[in-house]
Amino acid sequence: MAGLSIDIFLNKWKDLFYDSFNYSNYFKNHLKSLLNIKLTVNEYNLFKYFFDKKLINFVNKNLLLDKINELSLPIDSIRLIFIDGFFVCNFSNTEFIIFNNINVLNYYNYFTAISFDIFLHLIESILNKIFILNIYSNNLNDKPIYILNISTGLKSDINVLNYRYHIIIESSSYINIIEHYVSLNNYSHLTCARFVIEVLNNSYLEHTKILSENSSSYHFSCNDIYIDSGSFVNSTVFLLGSGIIRNNTNVKFNGENGNILLNSLSVPIKNNFFNNYTYVEHNFRNSKSYQLHKIISSAYGKFRGLVKILKNSSKVNATMISRNLLLNNLSYIETEPKLEIYNNDVKCTHAATLGKIDENQIFYLCSRGIDSGIAKNMIISSFSYDIINLVKNNLLRDIILKLINKRLFGDFYESIDY
């Protein structure tokens, strides 16, 4: 069945490739790699959901500003709007930024991808436009850059959409980027996103990704972060909505004394199937990485992380922690933190925990007069708080907290109060 599912999917993908997109050798090479790649059982299982519907590419050109404002986060920001993979200049704030929105055939390749897998080849094989953005902190008036990606679902087919960015954080800059994915309706779409960020020398980047698409959607993404000498990155991913997610975050150090905090919170519910993968490559001396990844699951959640330290990368400090909470007897969590070390002069640790709600904690709160249902909700919500607290923007942090609580507790989320 696994082999059949991937064959059906790939045949549909080839039809989409030839029917909907301009293609050259660049695309053909990715398609060829896609057809030849060997998959894991977990990857096979993702494609069985594409049996019944046709894959097409549809772009909604009738979306009004009022609807865009309704879908946006209420944050004072430099807002960049993308609808079904295409940049909408008329609804975006472009006065403070330098950008190019170019056809891929004119794109000169800055870097090869940090890591290759079937999802990278899927995304790159249907690439159309690349949005290239150069950012200088003194141009932004201390406002975050808010990238809103709105995807249109289709009732009878699956709308396949491609979002592709290359963002350059210029030297000695202090930048905050919010990457947000939402659905226009409750119908099916497949979001394919690749977000490449270069953080040049002595810069600071705070990057927050919020994925809150509908439960009928699918989301495959590959984020690549390149860190130059003396730069610091704080990247936090919140997987809060979609039917099936495969989120890859890859990091490569391009200079000494780089530093990254790489964090995530996944909240799969009902029939969700969430996969979060990270890869961090230390290839320069004195670099640091700290990772904290959490899953709160009443469905299927997986984290897989690999830290690789190359031979010449001494004085590296790397930590990877996975903490996971099962909400019921039907929930499933799989976690695989791994280290691959080729230098002895390093400090590396990894850890993983998995468990259910502690009944003693519920008993303690009930003994203080708190209803047992509210006590349980408080414990679940507090499990996510150390990830939420890594977001420095106070308003954004409050918004994310409400999104998480509403996803976990529905209409009762307002009873959770810190």
Side-chain angles (χ1 to χ4, degrees), residues 256-268:
E256 296 184 3
N257 301 306
N259 197 331
I260 187 167
L261 301 179
L262 185 60
N263 318 286
S264 70
L265 175 67
S266 301
V267 188

Side-chain angles (χ1 to χ4, degrees), residues 51-101:
F51 271 174
D52 301 328
K53 294 186 177 182
K54 183 179 179 181
L55 304 179
I56 69 169
N57 175 242
F58 168 79
V59 179
N60 188 337
K61 298 182 179 179
N62 299 313
L63 200 57
L64 300 177
L65 182 59
D66 287 347
K67 185 62 177 180
I68 293 173
N69 290 335
E70 178 186 328
L71 294 169
S72 297
L73 300 178
I75 293 176
D76 184 22
S77 61
I78 298 170
R79 192 175 68 171
L80 306 178
I81 304 298
F82 292 81
I83 299 174
D84 295 333
F86 288 88
F87 180 57
V88 184
C89 188
N90 291 340
F91 294 153
S92 301
N93 307 119
T94 59
E95 58 183 314
F96 298 109
I97 63 172
I98 301 172
F99 72 93
N100 288 295
N101 194 29

Side-chain angles (χ1 to χ4, degrees), residues 148-177:
L148 176 61
N149 306 279
I150 303 172
S151 298
T152 304
L154 300 177
K155 188 174 183 179
S156 57
D157 301 311
I158 297 177
N159 195 16
V160 180
L161 309 163
N162 186 281
Y163 297 88
R164 178 66 157 87
Y165 314 95
H166 194 117
I167 297 180
I168 303 166
I169 310 297
E170 299 293 346
S171 297
S172 303
S173 293
Y174 188 103
I175 303 297
N176 185 352
I177 296 176

Side-chain angles (χ1 to χ4, degrees), residues 100-126:
N100 288 295
N101 194 29
I102 65 172
N103 190 290
V104 67
L105 299 180
N106 300 321
Y107 173 65
Y108 54 96
N109 194 14
Y110 292 95
F111 294 102
T112 58
I114 296 174
S115 181
F116 292 83
D117 64 10
I118 185 173
F119 301 98
L120 176 77
H121 295 309
L122 281 171
I123 294 168
E124 294 292 89
S125 66
I126 60 168

Side-chain angles (χ1 to χ4, degrees), residues 183-239:
S183 300
L184 178 63
N185 51 38
N186 292 321
Y187 298 131
S188 295
H189 60 83
L190 168 57
T191 300
C192 296
R194 186 158 182 239
F195 197 90
V196 178
I197 308 177
E198 296 178 59
V199 186
L200 302 188
N201 295 335
N202 302 309
S203 291
Y204 176 91
L205 169 65
E206 179 167 352
H207 167 244
T208 306
K209 176 177 179 177
I210 306 168
L211 175 51
S212 52
E213 296 174 325
N214 71 56
S215 60
S216 299
S217 66
Y218 313 87
H219 186 100
F220 299 157
S221 60
C222 295
N223 281 16
D224 285 356
I225 303 174
Y226 298 88
I227 304 174
D228 281 5
S229 297
S231 290
F232 185 99
V233 175
N234 178 17
S235 179
T236 308
V237 175
F238 295 93
L239 303 182

Side-chain angles (χ1 to χ4, degrees), residues 35-47:
L35 299 177
N36 293 331
I37 202 165
K38 293 182 179 180
L39 304 184
T40 65
V41 173
N42 178 275
E43 290 167 342
Y44 271 126
N45 288 335
L46 293 178
F47 298 103

